[in-house]
Amino acid sequence: MLVNADFHVHSCFSMASSKDMLIKNMAPMAKVKGLNILGTGDAFHPKWLDIIEQSTTYSGNGIYNRDDMDFVLTTEVEAKNRIHHLIIIPDIDIARELSEKLPSKNKTVDGRPKTNLSGVELLEMVREYDCLIGPAHAFTPWTGMYKSFDSIYDCYEKKVDFVELGLSADTFMADKISELKDFAFLTNSDAHSPWPHRLGREFNQITLKDISFDSIKHAFKHNTINANYGLVPNLGKYHMTACTKCYKLVDPAIAKENKMKCECGARIKKGVDFRISELASYDEPIHPSFRPKYIHLMPLAEIIAQVYDKGVTTKTVQNKWQKLIDSFGSEIDVLINVDLKDIEKVDINTAHAIKLFRNAEIDVTPGGGGKYGQISFEKPEKEVKPNIVTLDNF
């Protein structure tokens, strides 16, 4: 069976997460998004595990169900060197045992616990319990694995189960690094709120034997990921080297000469694009034969917001989003499957933008330093173009 899965989210117990990140809210929103499997996030937090047990029905083999949405236990751990690791866990009993075993002072406070374990030690600990593990948003400059290591094997010593690319990278970038040719790539949302423009903003389309932890494990091992869907990486807020205060894009060589200090006095952060260029084995990506297609998309509400120059959560945008969902069932279907002529009958302007996205005919002002990139669509002649904020050339 073909399923859409997002394995990396956070609960209401994680810092900077919405208080609405509860199973009862996540389930219907994930369904409307078009997801079939959603990670629970924060599965080392004892109170969150209590909520999961109280809010779901156990379907067996690691799957928990609420309102026809299937959940698998996942967590993100901040380990030594502030590197973030994503872990997928077989069941709640194992999650509770690992939570007790994990050396951490804040695991009952923050949904994303911190530990002094190295990548090697964390891998060995969770592998004893048949968990799946890999680096979360592997290239991001604050907490990605490659910000501290030049090789994934320097971090883990052994082969991990997957590499999560993060919002600022895609397959075309990562497959310039020869050592990653043997790894499955995951694209996940890292959502901190249940809004559909957060849940599943990146997701994986996977062929599974059935909905179970064992099938997920088999899919990673035997490369049955059919497609990765994610943002255009230029939109990622750490894609380019940039100032963390004024967000000006800075040439990496100049940034290095200035000791990563911007002329405004703030810190410059190395971008994912440049970091991958430092690690690259090839000028152009070389994809292994099993590598699935990577399809760029953008949350539907954000497309509508751009088209009508309104905020994502305004009534205008949400009403137009709801009409499309009512007409076609799920956001993912609208973005990638529904015939454009049918979308035009509901909203001709959004249909035009989706067409441009599907045809890769969009313009992006890249993000960096903690600020997302800007996107613009060429509008029909009769449409008034919105004001697009662009960054100065450097």
Side-chain angles (χ1 to χ4, degrees):
M1 64 176 65
L2 197 62
V3 302
N4 298 323
D6 179 1
F7 295 108
H8 186 175
V9 306
H10 289 278
S11 76
C12 59
F13 291 101
S14 277
M15 293 182 65
S17 281
S18 168
K19 61 180 175 55
D20 295 322
M21 278 300 269
L22 297 164
I23 296 293
K24 65 180 182 180
N25 300 324
M26 295 158 67
M29 289 297 98
K31 189 174 181 180
V32 167
K33 183 73 177 191
L35 298 171
N36 308 106
I37 300 176
L38 186 65
T40 61
D42 300 353
F44 283 171
H45 194 286
K47 291 184 178 179
W48 181 234
L49 289 174
D50 290 340
I51 290 174
I52 293 170
E53 282 193 308
Q54 295 162 8
S55 304
T56 64
T57 300
Y58 186 50
S59 302
N61 205 326
I63 302 298
Y64 299 80
N65 184 275
R66 168 74 182 237
D67 297 333
D68 295 324
M69 176 54 54
D70 289 317
F71 291 84
V72 63
L73 296 172
T74 62
T75 192
E76 184 181 26
V77 172
E78 182 176 302
K80 189 176 181 180
N81 297 321
R82 291 195 65 207
I83 294 173
H84 287 191
H85 308 264
L86 178 63
I87 302 168
I88 305 175
I89 307 161
D91 61 48
I92 279 184
D93 289 339
I94 289 175
R96 290 193 188 280
E97 190 168 345
L98 280 170
S99 177
E100 292 178 2
K101 190 174 182 179
L102 182 74
S104 172
K105 295 180 179 180
N106 76 328
K107 61 188 173 186
T108 61
V109 178
D110 192 350
R112 182 177 57 207
K114 297 180 181 180
T115 180
N116 288 324
L117 292 181
S118 67
V120 173
E121 292 169 324
L122 187 61
L123 180 147
E124 290 178 349
M125 187 181 85
V126 302
R127 279 275 178 86
E128 290 180 12
Y129 294 83
D130 199 34
C131 297
L132 305 174
I133 184 172
H137 38 75
F139 303 101
T140 52
W142 294 104
T143 56
M145 179 270 299
Y146 276 117
K147 61 96 177 177
S148 296
F149 295 99
D150 289 336
S151 170
I152 193 170
Y153 294 102
D154 291 339
C155 179
Y156 295 105
E157 292 186 358
K158 299 178 182 178
K159 187 173 183 291
V160 291
D161 300 290
F162 55 81
V163 173
E164 184 186 70
L165 298 179
L167 304 184
S168 296
D170 63 11
T171 295
F172 304 102
M173 297 170 67
D175 270 337
K176 292 180 180 180
I177 302 171
S178 61
E179 72 171 6
L180 295 182
K181 67 182 183 300
D182 299 322
F183 292 86
F185 289 163
L186 293 186
T187 40
N188 300 310
S189 69
D190 198 358
H192 286 65
S193 88
W195 285 91
H197 65 274
R198 293 294 184 232
L199 284 180
R201 60 182 168 178
E202 296 202 346
F203 66 95
N204 312 274
Q205 194 172 80
I206 308 177
T207 296
L208 298 178
K209 294 180 178 179
D210 53 33
I211 305 294
S212 67
F213 176 86
D214 286 344
S215 286
I216 293 169
K217 181 178 180 180
H218 183 274
F220 294 171
K221 184 176 181 180
H222 295 280
N223 304 313
T224 63
I225 299 175
N226 291 69
N228 294 111
Y229 288 86
L231 297 181
V232 178
N234 296 26
L235 289 171
K237 59 184 180 179
Y238 296 111
H239 181 73
M240 300 291 285
T241 300
C243 175
T244 57
K245 183 178 181 180
C246 72
Y247 305 116
K248 181 179 180 180
L249 303 184
V250 183
D251 184 290
I254 295 175
K256 189 174 181 180
E257 286 179 8
N258 293 326
K259 299 181 180 180
M260 304 306 283
K261 288 289 185 180
C262 180
E263 59 186 13
C264 77
R267 185 178 184 182
I268 296 171
K269 205 65 180 170
K270 183 186 293 186
V272 170
D273 179 71
F274 182 65
R275 180 58 179 145
I276 288 179
S277 75
E278 292 180 320
L279 299 166
S281 311
Y282 325 110
D283 292 332
E284 298 296 328
I286 297 178
H287 305 297
S289 59
F290 69 85
R291 184 74 70 222
K293 58 187 177 181
Y294 194 107
I295 300 170
H296 295 125
L297 48 65
M298 182 178 181
L300 180 58
E302 293 185 3
I303 292 176
I304 298 169
Q306 185 67 35
V307 168
Y308 291 96
D309 195 20
K310 300 285 185 180
V312 174
T313 58
T314 60
K315 287 184 178 180
T316 297
V317 171
Q318 289 301 308
N319 286 342
K320 291 181 180 297
W321 177 86
Q322 192 63 57
K323 286 181 180 179
L324 288 165
I325 299 304
D326 290 343
S327 298
F328 305 113
S330 80
E331 178 173 318
I332 288 173
D333 276 339
V334 173
L335 291 171
I336 66 177
N337 296 324
V338 177
D339 191 289
L340 289 168
K341 291 181 179 179
D342 292 328
I343 300 175
E344 287 176 357
K345 295 174 184 177
V346 180
D347 186 339
I348 190 170
N349 298 322
T350 299
H352 177 72
I354 291 173
K355 177 183 178 181
L356 293 175
F357 220 103
R358 290 181 183 181
N359 294 339
E361 296 174 351
I362 57 173
D363 294 319
V364 177
T365 302
K371 181 181 179 181
Y372 287 107
Q374 297 275 351
I375 194 166
S376 61
F377 302 101
E378 179 187 348
K379 303 293 177 63
E381 292 182 0
K382 294 182 179 180
E383 292 298 313
V384 178
K385 293 185 178 181
N387 294 322
I388 303 298
V389 178
T390 60
L391 297 172
D392 294 332
N393 293 328
F394 61 92

